[in-house]
Amino acid sequence: MMIKRFYILFLMLPIQVFAQGLKVANLMCEYKSDPKGIESSSPKLSWELQSDERNTAQIAYHVLVADNKEALTKNVGNMWDSKQIPSSASIQISYKGKPLVAAKTYYWKVMVSDNHHHSEWSAITKWQMGLLTLADWQGAKWIAYAKMPDSIRMVPFPAGKGPKGLPPNNDVLPLLRKTFTINKPLKKATMYISGLGHFDMSLNGTKVGDHFLDPGWTQYDKQALYVPFDLTEKLVQGSNTLGVMLGNGFYFIPRDHRYRKMTGAYGYPKMICRLVLEYKDGTIGNLVSDESWKAAPGPITFTSIYGGEDYNANLEQLGWNTVNFDDSKWQNAITVKGPPQLNAQAADPLRVMQQFTPISKKQLSPGVWVYDLGQNASGIPQITVQGKKGDTVRITPAELIHEDGTANQTGSGKPHYYDYILKGDGPETWHPQFTYYGFRYLQVNGAVPKGESNINQLPVMVDIKGLHTRNSAAQIGSFTCSNELLNKTFTLIDWAMKSNMASVFTDCPHREKLGWLEEAHLVGSSLHYNYDIHRLALKCINDMRLAQTPEGLIPEIAPEFTKFGDPFRDSPEWGSNAVILPWYVYEWYGDKEVLAQNYDMMKRYLDYLGKEAKGHILTEGLGDWYDQGPKAPGYSQQTPKGITATAFYYYDLGIVSNIANLLGKKQDAIAYKKMAATVKQAYNKAFFDSKTKEYGTGSQTANSISVYMGLVEPKDKEAVINNIVKELHDHGNALTAGDIGFRYLLRVLDDAGRSDVIFDMNSRSDVPGYGYQLAHGATALTESWGALPQVSNNHFMLGHIMEWFYSGLAGIRSAPGVIAMKNIEIRPEPVGDVISAKASYESPYGVIATDWKKTNGKFELTVQIPANTTATVYLPASEKGALTESGKPISAVKTIKFLGYKNNKALIAVGSGTYDFIADEK
């Protein structure tokens, strides 16, 4: 009754009460604006409140969803009218209306009330459903140019070159086309399409969209992804022609002399599609893939995700994807089998995100030139070249160059190159379509730069550039400070992050391109500050679910295209991503559904670890991979493998116990908590020295992982942390922790208030570390602390310090135990010679920002807190000094609450808004 009276009062409010400084913006469905391909029966909705007033908190919302825009403009939600719901929730709102229909578009808007005002209705936004069942494909068939005989299908892929005596094998990279007629006015046209390994689609001769390497790679014997496109504005009345070019990707890896990490084949390239045609008269038409499509070989003569790509422009068929082309000599497509499950590509697509032009070029010998693009990044080259018909130009990308200036692919997989055969009719522009690499340098054989001497009449390189390709997840964070080395470190890591966000979190963009799982949870905490990785993380989690073995093992890579031999298949530090990443996604974004969907996977993995443990101790796996020691990096040198493996087992048990409680599985929660206590006891008995207060060898990783994961008894915690600091100081603040341990070293020091130590060990260039890599010319984070040339020079597995840039130096972090930063801690750590820092992070509720500087004994801090959240500000301040906000004494500002002093910091509780604090430091 109370809710009803509140709602009536809400409707009777005069119009001027609305929108006084309160707006609703950034409406999202399933974590995306205006998404297509939604497959959830209860999509999650979210929005942001924007208000000029401080302390703004939502108290109610009202959502309307309709199956047509006209109804919504009349405030009629014929699919769902939530009515007025008293709630502060503005994220993770589940749709609770009528059943949703495949391929249908739904429109929605929201109105909110806060503790000051009522908003107007938001702008209308929409989502479109995907194809939910096999029947929704309306009889569409997988079609191809050729069918692979079962005898040469090779799944799972053997590692490397495969069995001895395996003959070479290449495939036809086909073109597919279909002409059809639109004979009445269209309302909407949506294409749902999957092409394996990858596809490039055109309509009436023009490429559709700007995606690269669609669809994302998956475990194809279980699942493939499809991609929706809106073709409404591109179709014309009368005849239209669809063209599809297919590439191999991870679906088929050709066998020749070029580099390949593994050898295998799911099949030859194939495609399936459904074009949904909604006409203005209310009828629905469908165009599907079937035998009526035409197929022919294309001008790409070789493409390998590992080896490169070749293109013969003389094999082009002019106008092949247009209406007037004569396809009478083409064969009809054949029908073939495809993956058993099709799902929409929910993660952001790969795109060309940036272009690089050469900063220099050098001739090595006649007809051989090397171009320096200045930045090591994932991508492809693009050339514009002019020459004679049949001339061949070879482009070899590389991260590094040898002493003689030639391309050095030693650590990135060799040979990988691109051959382009000219057709000879003027300037020709080309780039690879179905592969990529990591490179800074481009070696060109067989062409001369425009304007240079060309006595051999070789083709002229009119233009050459690098196209940086990556997952197009939005950048949502920024950071800068007064220390230039730290700024360069941020950029160094950022380039490795960008280069390794594809359709999986890759280790490197060249040699492997595999989803090694430890990076997602270890560096994910850094990555999520910088980029919106929610949807890509869900893709990673789905890949793990499909890769899990019947025994419960989560392999170290997902998708698991090849089964590496141990210890490269079973490492708890890697497999635990199946537990940790879903939990982090819940903590970062408030996504509880991911916990429920993957609970069975987590349980099965814990059961597997329990069976593998001996006396509750695990010793298998890689340990603290690539730590810094006396030998070349690789297997853990400083820390016994049992420490990291068992610590993760304990950490997993605690997380799943928490998840079980959240999901109402109380008995599970109790059982996992009990098992965690048993593992903890065994761990301390096996590894803790009660006299020295150290774990194992006393390494940075051994002690810090024990502290972070809660394995240290409270009475010993301070002593263990002191030992961490002592070990660092005794070795000149040189780091030894590797891929697994370094994040925990940073987190333990930060949580203990020892950011000064973090600064000391990361502000030098004379020992292996970030500064050392920069001093040796790295432009992206390298695989080894020592920037070794024989391994990858674009790896993001050691990028953990970015988390500290945001949470420590800039001071943006979640309050303990709080989900999606609903309550925030602003706790900047001015250390070393850093006199200013500035950062922003777009949380699920809106932008959080800090900007601080030290001047003349004062600490100045500007803070931005988004609406519908609260924060506690920890301001470096002297109890004897002045403390002001916006020029007024703290005591005079009624919109904030002073909480007192602690550890030389003033604690201030604030709501949403922007605040300008100044405090005396002494």
Side-chain angles (χ1 to χ4, degrees):
M1 191 66 184
M2 187 69 184
I3 294 174
K4 185 176 181 181
R5 285 201 301 268
F6 181 85
Y7 181 57
I8 294 172
L9 177 63
F10 181 80
L11 293 176
M12 294 173 62
L13 287 168
I15 200 71
Q16 61 265 29
V17 175
F18 291 85
Q20 292 183 358
L22 177 63
K23 295 181 180 179
V24 186
N26 294 338
L27 275 67
M28 299 273 196
C29 173
E30 289 293 304
Y31 325 114
K32 208 170 190 177
S33 175
D34 291 345
K36 299 177 183 65
I38 297 300
E39 294 179 335
S40 171
S41 60
S42 181
K44 301 298 184 292
L45 309 178
S46 67
W47 54 86
E48 290 180 14
L49 276 66
Q50 297 179 352
S51 175
D52 296 330
E53 294 198 48
R54 290 182 172 182
N55 299 310
T56 294
Q58 180 183 293
I59 59 173
Y61 68 82
H62 184 180
V63 174
L64 294 179
V65 181
D67 61 7
N68 66 91
K69 195 172 183 178
E70 293 72 24
L72 213 55
T73 59
K74 298 175 184 176
N75 296 333
V76 175
N78 66 348
M79 293 300 295
W80 184 39
D81 185 340
S82 73
K83 305 301 183 184
Q84 186 76 3
I85 297 179
S87 173
S88 64
S90 57
I91 65 171
Q92 301 291 332
I93 307 301
S94 296
Y95 169 83
K96 295 179 180 177
K98 297 176 183 177
L100 301 169
V101 177
K104 182 76 175 174
T105 300
Y106 296 96
Y107 302 85
W108 70 288
K109 63 182 181 179
V110 62
M111 176 188 286
V112 304
S113 306
D114 71 7
N115 48 337
H116 305 298
H117 302 293
H118 307 279
S119 77
E120 293 180 339
W121 286 108
S122 68
I124 294 173
T125 187
K126 63 184 183 296
W127 78 80
Q128 186 171 5
M129 299 299 291
L131 303 183
L132 309 179
T133 67
L134 181 61
D136 293 328
W137 285 89
Q138 294 290 315
K141 301 174 182 177
W142 284 100
I143 60 173
Y145 176 80
K147 179 182 179 181
M148 176 176 286
D150 290 341
S151 60
I152 63 173
R153 189 174 182 270
M154 196 176 296
V155 177
F157 297 179
K161 296 287 186 179
K164 286 185 178 181
L166 205 60
N169 190 16
N170 196 12
D171 62 338
V172 172
L173 286 310
L175 307 176
L176 302 169
R177 59 172 269 122
K178 174 72 176 179
T179 296
F180 59 101
T181 302
I182 302 293
N183 53 21
K184 52 185 176 180
L186 265 178
K187 178 183 178 183
K188 188 175 181 64
T190 307
M191 171 64 91
Y192 298 89
I193 179 171
S194 179
L196 304 179
H198 299 298
F199 71 88
D200 207 50
M201 180 174 63
S202 58
L203 176 62
N204 298 327
T206 302
K207 177 178 167 66
V208 174
D210 59 355
H211 298 186
F212 178 66
L213 296 184
D214 267 345
W217 46 91
T218 53
Q219 196 159 328
Y220 297 113
D221 54 348
K222 295 183 179 179
Q223 180 197 47
L225 303 179
Y226 66 86
V227 187
F229 292 95
D230 186 346
L231 302 186
T232 310
E233 301 301 321
K234 297 176 176 65
L235 289 167
V236 299
Q237 287 293 305
S239 297
N240 294 266
T241 296
L242 282 164
V244 179
M245 182 179 284
L246 296 177
N248 288 323
F250 279 97
Y251 198 69
F252 175 83
I253 299 177
R255 302 195 296 267
D256 74 342
H257 67 281
R258 291 192 239 201
Y259 173 74
R260 61 184 186 271
K261 177 68 177 177
M262 59 192 73
T263 300
Y266 286 95
Y268 291 140
K270 60 194 63 173
M271 184 273 288
I272 189 170
C273 71
R274 176 193 172 191
L275 175 60
V276 183
L277 301 164
E278 302 176 47
Y279 294 105
K280 290 184 178 179
D281 64 5
T283 59
I284 302 289
N286 289 287
L287 174 75
V288 299
S289 51
D290 57 22
E291 301 93 331
S292 68
W293 284 61
K294 292 298 189 78
I300 299 176
T301 57
F302 176 92
T303 184
S304 167
I305 197 69
Y306 286 119
E309 190 164 297
D310 297 342
Y311 188 96
N312 188 344
N314 299 286
L315 300 179
E316 292 177 349
Q317 300 187 54
L318 186 64
W320 71 274
N321 50 3
T322 61
V323 169
N324 296 323
F325 180 77
D326 179 6
D327 62 11
S328 59
K329 295 182 179 180
W330 287 31
Q331 72 176 47
N332 284 80
I334 63 171
T335 60
V336 293
K337 292 182 179 179
Q341 182 177 332
L342 276 164
N343 293 107
Q345 177 170 281
D348 296 286
L350 277 69
R351 289 185 168 99
V352 175
M353 301 298 291
Q354 195 170 336
Q355 297 187 9
F356 292 102
T357 56
I359 60 173
S360 68
K361 62 181 182 290
K362 181 180 180 181
Q363 184 177 16
L364 304 182
S365 60
V368 180
W369 290 76
V370 169
Y371 299 82
D372 181 0
L373 302 177
Q375 176 61 54
N376 189 3
S378 58
I380 52 176
Q382 178 174 292
I383 60 171
T384 299
V385 64
Q386 186 167 354
K388 299 185 295 293
K389 180 182 177 69
D391 283 344
T392 299
V393 176
R394 175 169 294 182
I395 307 106
T396 304
E399 296 186 307
L400 305 171
I401 52 176
H402 292 290
E403 288 186 9
D404 63 0
T406 57
N408 180 358
Q409 294 182 335
T410 302
S412 53
K414 65 177 181 179
H416 176 111
Y417 59 83
Y418 317 105
D419 278 353
Y420 179 79
I421 302 177
L422 282 71
K423 56 189 172 184
D425 61 356
E428 306 172 38
T429 298
W430 174 82
H431 64 70
Q433 286 178 269
F434 298 118
T435 187
Y436 75 107
Y437 204 66
F439 62 94
R440 170 178 173 171
Y441 301 94
L442 293 172
Q443 178 177 317
V444 176
N445 290 55
V448 173
K450 183 178 180 180
E452 298 290 343
S453 174
N454 191 6
I455 58 175
N456 294 323
Q457 297 298 297
L458 294 173
V460 174
M461 187 63 69
V462 178
D463 186 46
I464 186 168
K465 60 184 66 172
L467 306 181
H468 166 49
T469 61
R470 68 164 174 88
N471 186 284
S472 56
Q475 185 164 355
I476 58 172
S478 65
F479 168 84
T480 187
C481 73
S482 60
N483 183 292
E484 197 55 31
L485 178 58
L486 297 184
N487 290 336
K488 289 180 178 179
T489 297
F490 180 92
T491 303
L492 185 83
I493 297 168
D494 188 40
W495 270 112
M497 287 179 168
K498 289 189 285 193
S499 297
N500 286 290
M501 286 195 297
S503 58
V504 300
F505 296 110
T506 63
D507 58 329
C508 57
H510 33 62
R511 187 184 70 221
E512 296 188 359
K513 300 184 174 84
L514 297 175
W516 290 95
L517 294 176
E518 92 289 6
E519 297 172 322
H521 69 85
L522 288 167
V523 190
S525 295
S526 293
L527 192 58
H528 98 281
Y529 272 111
N530 236 23
Y531 297 94
D532 179 5
I533 61 168
H534 191 164
R535 294 177 298 279
L536 187 55
L538 294 179
K539 161 72 164 58
C540 176
I541 293 166
N542 180 72
D543 289 340
M544 288 189 288
R545 201 165 57 242
L546 294 177
Q548 188 170 29
T549 70
E551 298 79 19
L553 167 69
I554 300 292
E556 293 175 36
I557 60 169
E560 192 183 25
F561 295 119
T562 186
K563 295 181 179 179
F564 290 123
D566 285 330
F568 293 98
R569 192 172 190 231
D570 182 6
S571 282
E573 303 90 340
W574 277 249
S576 292
N577 193 52
V579 172
I580 300 170
L581 186 60
W583 178 248
Y584 283 1
V585 167
Y586 168 65
E587 289 189 318
W588 298 336
Y589 305 111
D591 186 350
K592 188 176 178 181
E593 187 173 62
V594 73
L595 304 179
Q597 288 176 340
N598 296 284
Y599 185 70
D600 182 63
M601 172 178 69
M602 300 178 205
K603 285 189 66 176
R604 291 177 56 216
Y605 185 57
L606 286 181
D607 288 346
Y608 173 82
L609 293 181
K611 292 174 184 175
E612 291 294 305
K614 303 293 188 291
H616 307 293
I617 301 296
L618 291 166
T619 56
E620 69 264 30
L622 296 171
D624 192 21
W625 181 248
Y626 262 63
D627 61 350
Q628 186 67 26
K631 302 176 183 177
Y635 300 114
S636 178
Q637 300 180 55
Q638 304 282 358
T639 306
K641 287 190 292 185
I643 285 182
T644 52
T646 310
F648 273 93
Y649 180 33
Y650 172 78
Y651 193 52
D652 292 349
L653 287 164
I655 288 174
V656 179
S657 178
N658 290 335
I659 293 171
N661 269 320
L662 279 170
L663 299 180
K665 302 176 185 294
K666 302 302 181 185
Q667 292 306 310
D668 282 2
I670 293 169
Y672 286 127
K673 187 176 182 180
K674 183 178 179 181
M675 177 58 72
T678 302
V679 172
K680 181 177 181 177
Q681 185 178 23
Y683 181 91
N684 280 297
K685 183 179 180 180
F687 301 117
F688 184 59
D689 187 327
S690 59
K691 294 180 180 178
T692 64
K693 306 296 183 184
E694 290 182 325
Y695 283 82
T697 55
S699 68
Q700 295 169 10
T701 292
N703 284 333
S704 60
I705 201 169
S706 302
V707 173
Y708 182 86
M709 293 185 170
L711 286 153
V712 181
E713 295 294 344
K715 63 183 177 63
D716 297 317
K717 183 176 179 180
E718 184 178 355
V720 176
I721 293 173
N722 288 339
N723 275 329
I724 294 172
V725 175
K726 183 179 184 300
E727 192 276 343
L728 278 160
H729 286 166
D730 288 348
H731 294 89
N733 295 315
L735 59 88
T736 61
D739 178 23
I740 302 304
F742 188 56
R743 179 184 180 237
Y744 303 118
L745 174 63
L746 296 174
R747 297 318 308 155
V748 167
L749 291 171
D750 189 9
D751 291 343
R754 296 310 307 266
S755 282
D756 59 314
V757 180
I758 296 175
F759 175 84
D760 289 343
M761 70 179 184
N762 290 287
S763 59
R764 54 188 302 187
S765 305
D766 58 328
V767 294
Y770 301 119
Y772 188 89
Q773 294 183 21
L774 288 163
H776 285 73
T779 60
L781 185 64
T782 69
E783 184 175 9
S784 65
W785 284 124
L788 300 174
Q790 65 267 32
V791 296
S792 166
N793 273 250
N794 194 340
H795 239 73
F796 85 128
M797 73 179 187
L798 297 173
H800 315 90
I801 198 172
M802 187 175 282
E803 181 181 8
W804 177 74
F805 288 154
Y806 282 99
S807 68
L809 207 53
I812 299 173
R813 64 173 78 195
S814 178
V818 173
I819 303 305
M821 288 207 182
K822 178 72 170 172
N823 182 252
I824 306 151
E825 283 188 353
I826 302 297
R827 191 185 295 197
E829 295 288 349
V831 291
D833 63 2
V834 182
I835 59 171
S836 66
K838 182 178 182 180
S840 68
Y841 164 62
E842 189 169 344
S843 76
Y845 292 96
V847 174
I848 306 167
T850 63
D851 185 355
W852 65 260
K853 59 182 177 181
K854 298 169 68 175
T855 55
N856 301 320
K858 296 184 182 297
F859 189 88
E860 300 179 21
L861 172 66
T862 298
V863 179
Q864 180 182 341
I865 304 298
N868 211 26
T869 68
T870 58
T872 302
V873 179
Y874 292 76
L875 190 67
S878 167
E879 293 188 37
K880 300 177 181 178
L883 181 58
T884 64
E885 194 285 309
S886 296
K888 299 178 182 178
I890 287 288
S891 58
V893 182
K894 304 304 180 186
T895 53
I896 63 179
K897 183 179 181 181
F898 179 63
L899 303 176
Y901 292 92
K902 184 179 181 180
N903 297 329
N904 299 315
K905 292 183 178 181
L907 277 60
I908 306 159
V910 302
S912 65
T914 300
Y915 302 87
D916 295 300
F917 296 103
I918 299 178
D920 289 335
E921 291 191 278
K922 296 181 180 179

